[in-house]
Structure formats: C-alpha cells, structure tokens
Amino acid sequence: MKPRRFVPVALAFTSILSMVGCSDSSNNPTASIKVVPSLGLIRNAEAQLLDINGTEIPGSSQVIGTTGTVDLTYPANWNRPLLVQVSGRPGAEYYDEAAKAFLPFQEGRLRTYLESPQSEVAVTSLTELAATMLDSQLTIDSAQIRESMETIRQALAPSLSDITQPPLLVGNISDLQQAADEMPSRHAAVLAALAEMGYGQETPALTMIFQLRQDFLDGVMDGMFQGAPIEGLSYSIASFEEVFSQALAIALQGSTMTHQSFGTRNLDRMTSIQGQMPSQ
C-alpha cells in the first residue's frame, strides 16, 4: 500500500486561505496620513482619526513615538471631512519652548479639522483654535473648516500658506535657532511665541492654549466668557499684539529669522468673529 500524500492537500488549503486574505484586503483598501502634532515636539500622546461627528474611525488610534510623528490609516475611499485629534495621557510629554524642557501632557487635546484627507497634517495650538471656532456649530462642512483655518492664519500666522502643513518639530532649544527661514520653521516660531506668552506658568504652552480656547469658546476673543471676565489671563485684548510680538522676538533669539518674515497679523479676525462663520 502506498503511503498517503498529505502535503499537496495542505498546500492547497494554505493557498485557499491566502486567497481569501488577499480578497478581504483588496475589498477594504486603506490609506495613511502622517500626523505631526506640536506644542513643541509631542511624544507618547495618543493620536486618532474621527469622523466629523467625533466617532473614531476603527483601527486609526496610535500612540506617538519618540520621533513626534505617527502614521494613521483610514479607508482609502474616504472623501469627506476628517477630524485629527491628539490627546494627552499618562506618560505623554511635550517640549515647551518657554520652559526649555519636556513637560507633562497628561490631559487635554489638540485637534485639526480637514476638508478631506491629505498626506500629512499638523495638529497644533493654531489648528486647535480653528477647531474651537467650530465647536458651537450644529453641523460642520468644508466651507466652515476653510473659514476657521483662514481666520486663525490671518490673525496669528499670516506668513504661512496653510496652518495644516506641519511645522518644524522642536525638541531642543537649538532646533529653532539653527533652522532656515522657511515655512516649517516660521510655523514652529509662532508656536514658540504662544508658549512664551505663558512664561512663568507651570506648563506655559498648554496654559496658553487653554486660556485662548476658553476665551474663544463664545465665538470671539475678548477676554470674556458668557458675559464675565476670564480671570488669570496672560494677556489683555488691548495688549495682545504687543505681548505676542515680544514673545515672538524672544522665540527668535539666536535664529536667522526676523520679525519681517512673519507678515502683518490681523487680530481683528479673532476679536470680531461673531457673524463671520458660515452657519447652518
């Protein structure tokens, strides 16, 4: 009696499984987006993709490593607005350019709304302010996302063409000092200036974004919330431009960049916003 030969059967079964796996993959193709958060460089925080209603896209959550960036995946056929969120958690930290040290980022979040997916995206203090503009909207569409981004760009970073494009990641005081006068380093300098405005606070950059977001929640930056003055602000509306300009000068110390590279800020875009946003 000849011995039975099981190997071909096993190989055939393996081939069938392999074909099934390929079929599933081809039916559910994915694409990826490189997420670049910054306050300075952020590490060990959680990054995730959500739909416009705040529902997480399955499988899109990842912890940011020591490089400060992470690639997140989403369905390749996604062609509508997207929310990118970076959240603090135990063990997370960021480089604070006012404190010149890594500080805890254990709570809070930064967000960026996108009209549609793009290959890489910044998630920063600037994009969080733009997201705050949309918090009071019942629904959010591409026109509102575009308007919010442009408002913050003109108010705080007019030399940038797009605040969703990643900044230079600063994890050391020398990173910005040695940077060339280019869009990513200008972007980083604006973020550093916002941190410098919070100098003396326990977590300067986080404190400033918290203060600005609180001020901005009612749709206009006026030092008020629900009709009452906000206590403990590091700025006043009357002095904001002066304080920001001084903070930018400090952030640029030792750098080849100059004030002239940063354009003319239009703070009126932030202090008189009510009625400007397209509404639904």
Side-chain angles (χ1 to χ4, degrees), residues 126 156-157 159-160 185-195 244 248 262:
L126 297 178
L156 295 175
S159 67
L160 303 183
S185 48
R186 292 180 193 173
H187 196 161
V190 171
L191 300 179
L194 289 172
F244 184 87
L248 182 60
F262 290 83

Side-chain angles (χ1 to χ4, degrees), residues 5-271:
R5 300 182 64 186
F6 292 101
V7 173
V9 176
L11 288 174
F13 184 66
T14 302
S15 298
I16 291 171
L17 289 178
S18 176
M19 290 173 65
V20 170
C22 290
S23 175
D24 285 346
S25 175
S26 62
N27 288 336
N28 298 282
T30 60
S32 66
I33 182 170
K34 182 179 182 180
V35 178
V36 187
S38 184
L39 285 163
L41 186 146
I42 295 173
R43 56 196 185 192
N44 297 325
E46 182 182 24
Q48 58 188 155
L49 301 178
L50 305 100
D51 67 19
I52 209 69
N53 298 313
T55 301
E56 182 180 347
I57 297 173
S60 72
S61 178
Q62 296 284 344
V63 173
I64 301 163
T66 56
T67 63
T69 70
V70 67
D71 292 331
L72 301 182
T73 59
Y74 61 92
N77 62 354
W78 193 281
N79 60 359
R80 53 195 186 276
L82 189 67
L83 174 60
V84 189
Q85 180 169 288
V86 173
S87 303
R89 68 189 197 108
E93 57 185 3
Y94 75 98
Y95 184 78
D96 193 292
E97 285 147 300
K100 297 177 175 53
F102 277 94
L103 298 177
F105 180 28
Q106 296 188 357
E107 57 185 19
R109 66 183 180 180
L110 298 171
R111 299 168 294 164
T112 300
Y113 281 100
L114 293 174
E115 294 181 62
S116 59
Q118 54 194 51
S119 61
E120 55 182 6
V121 60
V123 185
T124 70
S125 303
L126 297 178
T127 62
E128 173 58 30
L129 288 176
T132 300
M133 288 183 63
L134 301 173
D135 284 343
S136 61
Q137 301 296 312
L138 295 177
T139 60
I140 299 171
D141 61 22
S142 293
Q144 293 168 319
I145 293 171
R146 194 179 315 117
E147 176 66 18
S148 68
M149 293 293 181
E150 184 62 10
T151 292
I152 301 304
R153 187 195 71 81
Q154 289 190 23
L156 295 175
S159 67
L160 303 183
S161 58
D162 181 355
I163 64 173
T164 72
Q165 290 302 303
L168 170 73
L169 291 182
V170 176
N172 186 285
I173 188 173
S174 62
D175 290 343
L176 195 55
Q177 292 174 341
Q178 297 172 2
D181 187 358
E182 298 172 341
M183 289 288 180
S185 48
R186 292 180 193 173
H187 196 161
V190 171
L191 300 179
L194 289 172
E196 289 290 351
M197 288 180 67
Y199 180 79
Q201 302 285 345
E202 188 174 345
T203 53
L206 278 178
T207 297
M208 277 309 303
I209 188 57
F210 174 79
Q211 289 185 3
L212 286 167
R213 187 175 190 277
Q214 185 182 22
D215 191 354
F216 221 26
L217 280 172
D218 60 2
V220 61
M221 193 177 78
D222 57 2
M224 308 279 286
F225 179 65
Q226 295 182 342
I230 302 172
E231 295 184 3
L233 289 181
S234 299
Y235 62 90
S236 68
I237 300 307
S239 67
F240 188 95
E241 171 59 29
E242 179 183 359
V243 173
F244 184 87
S245 184
Q246 291 172 349
L248 182 60
I250 294 171
L252 294 178
Q253 286 178 354
S255 167
T256 59
M257 292 181 282
T258 65
H259 250 82
Q260 286 68 34
S261 299
F262 290 83
T264 302
R265 289 176 290 278
N266 181 9
L267 284 174
D268 287 346
R269 290 297 299 264
M270 291 178 68
T271 57

